[in-house]
Amino acid sequence: MDIFMAAAIDEAKKGLAEGGIPIGSVIVHNGQIIGRGHNRRVQKGSAILHGEMDALENAGRQPARVYRESILYTTLSPCPMCSGAIILYGIRKVVIGENRTFMGEEDWLCYRGVQTDVLQNDECIGLMTDFITAKPELWNEDIGA
């Protein structure tokens, strides 16, 4: 498995262990992780701390060039909010762990010129399937259903 997707999965597991939703993300620039994050909506009582948003926040303020040269790895297909941030910051490539449990805005990302690679990673699928089965109300809250 790719070391960066493995790092995103580790973030997802942290979120689950903290009582949150198991979605993780890392931002990679020049082969180095510059931001790590996991969904912390439950833990922080936040409306916006999805895994991708948390990774962006933890990467800190970066020059636009850094975002354009970065790859975002996420365990789950990005929602509209996270996809908007990807476009806003000019990230040109997103590696997605899986999109079977939730299909985000991949078509829109591609339309906007973002390369999306979907892995259908069994561990990512298992984390989300188990979580959705165990806590459907919390999952629905997270995706605005």
Side-chain angles (χ1 to χ4, degrees):
M1 177 189 317
D2 181 292
I3 62 168
F4 300 123
M5 184 52 69
I9 291 170
D10 286 346
E11 286 295 322
K13 290 177 180 177
K14 283 183 190 176
L16 184 62
E18 293 169 357
I21 300 166
I23 304 168
S25 184
V26 297
I27 300 169
V28 177
H29 181 256
N30 290 336
Q32 299 293 318
I33 295 174
I34 62 168
R36 297 174 177 268
H38 52 275
N39 188 304
R40 296 191 304 148
R41 289 185 66 251
V42 172
Q43 300 91 312
K44 296 287 186 177
S46 170
I48 62 169
L49 279 180
H50 283 190
E52 300 91 338
M53 301 298 280
D54 194 37
L56 281 164
E57 178 69 15
N58 290 328
R61 185 175 166 200
Q62 299 291 331
R65 169 190 57 78
V66 171
Y67 296 116
R68 284 192 308 270
E69 297 170 352
S70 292
I71 301 170
L72 185 140
Y73 289 76
T74 182
T75 59
L76 186 64
S77 185
C79 75
M81 175 180 65
C82 296
S83 294
I86 289 164
I87 297 298
L88 178 67
Y89 289 103
I91 296 170
R92 295 181 177 157
K93 182 176 180 181
V94 179
V95 179
I96 299 165
E98 66 104 350
N99 64 8
R100 289 187 185 157
T101 61
F102 176 79
M103 173 58 82
E105 298 300 319
E106 293 171 38
D107 288 344
W108 184 65
L109 288 170
C110 291
Y111 173 76
R112 294 294 304 259
V114 177
Q115 177 184 339
T116 58
D117 295 346
V118 182
L119 305 178
Q120 301 303 11
N121 176 282
D122 290 336
E123 191 168 9
C124 294
I125 294 167
L127 279 167
M128 286 309 300
T129 300
D130 292 348
F131 178 80
I132 291 166
T133 300
K135 297 186 177 182
E137 312 83 22
L138 184 54
W139 172 239
N140 286 334
E141 175 190 318
D142 194 65
I143 59 172

